[in-house]
Amino acid sequence: MFRSTLFMAAIVFAGVAQAQTAPSASDIASYTGLHLAAHEGDIAETVRLLAEGADPDVRDRAQRTPAHVAAFASHGGVIAALAAGGADMNALESRAYDVLTIAAVADDPELVSLAMDLGNSPELITSVYDGTALIAAAHLGHHEVVARLVEGGAPIDHVNNLGWTALMEAVVLGDGGPDHIKTVSILVVAGADKSITDRDGITPVQHAKARGYGEIITLLE
């Protein structure tokens, strides 16, 4: 009954490390202008370049904007300067990630809140899985990020192209430990639909029982 879901989960686990691609050493070596300032966290240089007419949404070879580069380097001040200079806070790079999802995967709650404050929508469909920042954070058990995204209006029951919601990913791709327990709790309290099944018709609680995740079972029942 669970075979196809487990097979899909194995595929996702195998691809997680490659899902987001931070700038490589060769990318960084090629950077000039706003991309370089973003990587280095140089707010003053960012402001200067923008004042001189630099394009805030210029792309590198992986279609990353300076805001994406700054997000990978956790430079919130640069992102704020770029947003003030007209940067598109909902821009997607080549693998369909935005600043918010990059921050969510990095487990950076402050950057998550900042991105939303600057106009990065938590409703944006991101990643090759047609997911959301919330699904990405729930998958990884980043519960503080999950809480902030829920508060910011993220769609709780969005179903990605694997057939999974944030709640489903927290169970199927989680480890049943404290971080994922807290994640499930936040989603349940926020009103996540516990009846939404995967493509095999299996509910989150059934998956939790199959894995022996006692505390999560209690939350879901």
Side-chain angles (χ1 to χ4, degrees):
M1 175 168 66
F2 295 91
R3 184 174 300 171
S4 61
T5 298
L6 292 173
F7 177 71
M8 187 66 72
I11 292 175
V12 173
F13 273 125
V16 164
Q18 300 173 356
Q20 287 191 2
T21 307
S24 66
S26 60
D27 287 329
I28 294 166
S30 73
Y31 284 164
T32 60
L34 283 175
H35 281 106
L36 181 60
H39 174 70
E40 294 181 342
D42 193 333
I43 299 172
E45 179 67 358
T46 298
V47 172
R48 184 187 72 79
L49 290 167
L50 289 169
E52 291 181 354
D55 179 0
D57 294 318
V58 62
R59 303 280 182 153
D60 70 5
R61 56 194 174 194
Q63 295 299 299
R64 304 182 196 93
T65 66
H68 293 129
V69 172
F72 277 116
S74 297
H75 294 316
V78 169
I79 295 172
L82 288 164
D88 179 5
M89 286 301 297
N90 292 298
L92 301 177
E93 42 86 91
S94 63
R95 296 188 64 80
Y97 286 102
D98 60 341
V99 167
L100 185 60
T101 309
I102 291 168
V105 169
D107 199 13
D108 190 337
E110 296 303 322
L111 188 54
V112 163
S113 292
L114 175 64
M116 289 191 289
D117 288 344
L118 294 173
N120 198 163
S121 174
E123 298 181 8
L124 202 63
I125 303 303
T126 65
S127 86
V128 297
Y129 301 111
D130 292 337
T132 61
L134 179 64
I135 290 178
H139 162 192
L140 297 166
H142 294 166
H143 55 82
E144 177 60 27
V145 168
V146 167
R148 295 194 186 204
L149 288 168
V150 167
E151 184 178 356
I156 297 175
D157 293 322
H158 174 79
V159 179
N160 65 15
N161 62 18
L162 300 173
W164 296 338
T165 62
L167 182 60
M168 185 67 78
E169 288 221 2
V171 177
V172 173
L173 298 179
D175 62 7
D179 290 336
H180 284 95
I181 291 169
K182 183 63 175 176
T183 295
V184 169
S185 176
I186 292 167
L187 291 170
V188 169
V189 169
D193 188 341
K194 296 179 284 185
S195 70
I196 297 176
T197 68
D198 62 17
R199 290 175 179 169
D200 300 317
I202 310 304
T203 63
V205 72
Q206 287 175 302
H207 279 293
K209 288 178 177 178
R211 290 161 171 77
Y213 294 165
E215 291 188 56
I216 289 178
I217 294 167
T218 299
L219 289 168
L220 294 174
E221 287 187 328

